[in-house]
Amino acid sequence: MVAAPGENLRVNGNRLWDMLMDMAKIGPGIAGGNNRQTLTDADGEGRHLFKQWCEAAGMTVGTDKMGTMFATRPGTDPDALPVYIGSHLDTQPTGGKFDGVLGVLAGLEVVRSMNDLGIKTRHPIVVTNWANEEGARFAPAMLASGVFAGVHTLDYAYARRDPEGKTYGDELKRIGWLGDEEVGARKMHAYFEYHIEQGPILEAENKQIGVVTHCQGLWWLEFTLTGKEAHTGSTPMDMRVNAGLAFGRIMEKVQEIAMAEQPGAVAGVGQALFTPNSRNVLPGKVVFTVDLRTPSQEKLDRMRAKIEAAATEVCELLGVGCSVEAVGHFDPVTFDPTLVGRVRGAAEKLGYSHMDIISGAGHDACWAAKLAPTTMIFCPCVDGLSHNEAEEISMDWAAAGCDVLFHAVVETAEIVE
Ligand SMILES: [Zn+2]
């Protein structure tokens, strides 16, 4: 028995690229990218193509009650738990060709390469297409992996509605991908996810491989400020109850609080709604969301407390009402040091430039980490552009990360001679 394949072994980068381009033909966007949103006809078509490819590679495809697909390559030991490689084939409405898709098809390419090279492993390999990672049509994101990890119930997931009022449960049946497996019944030996970075760091640092060590935690805090609607021309300054002014001061505080936690923390406001939003009326109501993220649990808790305290203080001074609701939350994730070391070691062995990196976005891997040793590999993307039809990566980048995935996965699944 040897621990890992020799360093001369590589995946077939051209074949991986061809699969990516073939999948991108399904659910084309309007600007060169993709619109293959969850549980649409295009999603169903993409699933059929993936299933066909998996079966041609000798794998057996199972589907669970959330519509997540699991393609299995058997191992030699019937008692050994599988090594999972997963990501998602669904896209944003104006999504790219690689976000999620790269990870699923790279998993399949790993299996195809193992077949070509006659590699047998003790643990089975399971390539996974998680349903509804994006959450664009049915919020929240990472829905199926969340149910799998016990974060959400199946009933909750089925009742999610798209903007037209259609439910997840009905749409899953309609496209014919309601599976029979109980969600979360599978047990994992390890979980790997290969994904585009969706940020500019790897390209700027000229690195081929991102060794992902953590996933940021986040809070989305939705504030509702209540002032008094009044004429901007005829209301004296000292008689105003100005929710807009309170909003401005809180935004400045959010910036200060994040800057005090540098490096390794971000916070900002991306959405604000003034009511009535008229140029000559002081707003009676302002609703806005603060998005704060950091890989440190301590910083995450401290920033949330500081932002809430600052908002209360600002509002009290101005006589403005203030309430806050947490509308989104993840704890930070620390990926498994052994698997992280295996990814770094594979990049080193294969001669690829690499750096440690933290995931700024959420991924299915963040939920999988609750269940099994988990890690991620990042591929650079041009200008850090993602959730955009212009999202681009190079064929060499895609292949390099897939090589690293191949070596790290086969080592974890244990080669049998
Ligand atoms: Zn993604």
Side-chain angles (χ1 to χ4, degrees):
M1 184 191 278
V2 293
E7 66 260 27
N8 56 326
L9 299 185
R10 295 287 194 279
V11 300
N12 186 333
N14 288 312
R15 185 169 55 193
L16 170 61
W17 195 257
D18 287 347
M19 282 197 284
L20 286 163
M21 294 306 113
D22 283 345
M23 186 58 77
K25 288 177 192 153
I26 298 173
I30 48 169
N34 277 103
N35 180 2
R36 202 170 49 244
Q37 291 183 72
T38 303
L39 311 189
T40 57
D41 293 347
D43 182 21
E45 211 185 314
R47 288 161 170 271
H48 279 294
L49 180 60
F50 173 62
K51 186 180 183 195
Q52 195 182 310
W53 282 336
C54 289
E55 286 174 348
M59 304 169 91
T60 316
V61 181
T63 307
D64 76 9
K65 290 181 174 174
M66 273 300 288
T68 297
M69 301 169 68
F70 302 95
T72 303
R73 181 186 200 260
T76 58
D77 179 352
D79 297 326
L81 292 176
V83 173
Y84 281 73
I85 307 171
S87 204
H88 58 96
L89 293 175
D90 71 324
T91 75
Q92 289 281 322
T94 53
K97 298 190 282 285
F98 308 101
D99 174 2
V101 187
L102 175 65
V104 177
L105 300 183
L108 176 52
E109 175 50 41
V110 165
V111 168
R112 293 176 88 173
S113 292
M114 289 171 71
N115 292 347
D116 291 349
L117 298 163
I119 293 175
K120 289 197 185 103
T121 53
R122 187 165 87 79
H123 296 265
I125 311 281
V126 177
V127 182
T128 304
N129 169 32
W130 295 108
N132 193 32
E133 192 278 343
E134 291 293 359
R137 185 178 175 203
F138 299 98
M142 296 136 64
L143 184 65
S145 56
V147 177
F148 193 94
V151 179
H152 311 298
T153 65
L154 193 59
D155 288 344
Y156 166 84
Y158 281 169
R160 300 295 89 208
R161 283 180 193 278
D162 75 0
E164 292 176 17
K166 295 174 181 164
T167 66
Y168 189 95
D170 288 345
E171 285 294 277
L172 181 60
K173 267 185 233 142
R174 186 189 65 80
I175 68 159
W177 282 92
L178 170 62
D180 52 7
E181 277 189 28
E182 292 303 324
V183 182
R186 291 165 169 270
K187 302 285 172 263
M188 301 174 172
H189 176 62
Y191 178 86
F192 287 88
E193 184 161 352
Y194 176 35
H195 202 282
I196 60 167
E197 179 196 347
Q198 304 183 281
I201 298 170
L202 293 175
E203 191 188 28
E205 299 286 333
N206 204 17
K207 303 289 188 203
Q208 292 160 293
I209 304 292
V211 180
V212 190
T213 58
H214 298 80
C215 199
Q216 296 199 111
L218 77 76
W219 281 108
W220 285 350
L221 305 176
E222 186 182 272
F223 286 89
T224 302
L225 308 183
T226 317
K228 204 155 85 185
E229 279 176 33
H231 197 292
T232 50
S234 55
T235 314
M237 293 301 281
D238 63 351
M239 293 178 72
R240 298 178 177 209
V241 186
N242 188 348
L245 177 60
F247 166 66
R249 289 185 180 170
I250 294 166
M251 248 187 108
E252 188 61 43
K253 290 285 182 193
V254 168
Q255 176 75 9
E256 277 172 27
I257 289 163
M259 289 308 288
E261 301 286 357
Q262 295 307 300
V266 292
V269 177
Q271 186 183 48
L273 195 65
F274 278 50
T275 307
N277 205 26
S278 171
R279 68 170 61 84
N280 59 352
V281 182
L282 295 169
K285 193 162 101 172
V286 179
V287 179
F288 66 98
T289 312
V290 179
D291 181 336
L292 63 119
R293 307 186 192 211
T294 157
S296 153
Q297 184 74 56
E298 197 189 326
K299 283 189 185 187
L300 193 69
D301 295 343
R302 185 166 56 226
M303 284 167 74
R304 179 186 176 181
K306 277 173 144 181
I307 288 168
E308 291 189 0
T312 305
E313 198 185 319
V314 164
C315 288
E316 272 174 7
L317 204 65
L318 296 171
V320 168
C322 176
S323 66
V324 58
E325 188 190 346
V327 292
H329 172 62
F330 302 110
D331 281 328
V333 174
T334 302
F335 287 127
D336 182 72
T338 305
L339 297 190
V340 171
R342 231 165 251 169
V343 166
R344 197 185 289 118
E348 198 66 40
K349 182 173 77 174
L350 294 163
Y352 292 132
S353 58
H354 60 88
M355 66 181 283
D356 287 6
I357 192 165
I358 286 161
S359 174
H363 294 287
D364 294 309
C366 302
W367 289 147
K370 287 181 172 292
L371 305 170
T374 293
T375 200
M376 295 189 74
I377 302 163
F378 272 177
C379 175
C381 56
V382 175
D383 293 332
L385 214 57
S386 183
H387 287 190
N388 187 316
E389 294 204 39
E391 180 185 279
E392 203 52 77
I393 65 175
S394 79
M395 190 173 126
D396 288 346
W397 289 344
C402 191
D403 280 334
V404 170
L405 179 70
F406 168 52
H407 281 258
V409 162
V410 168
E411 189 177 344
T412 304
E414 297 170 36
I415 281 195
V416 177
E417 293 277 31

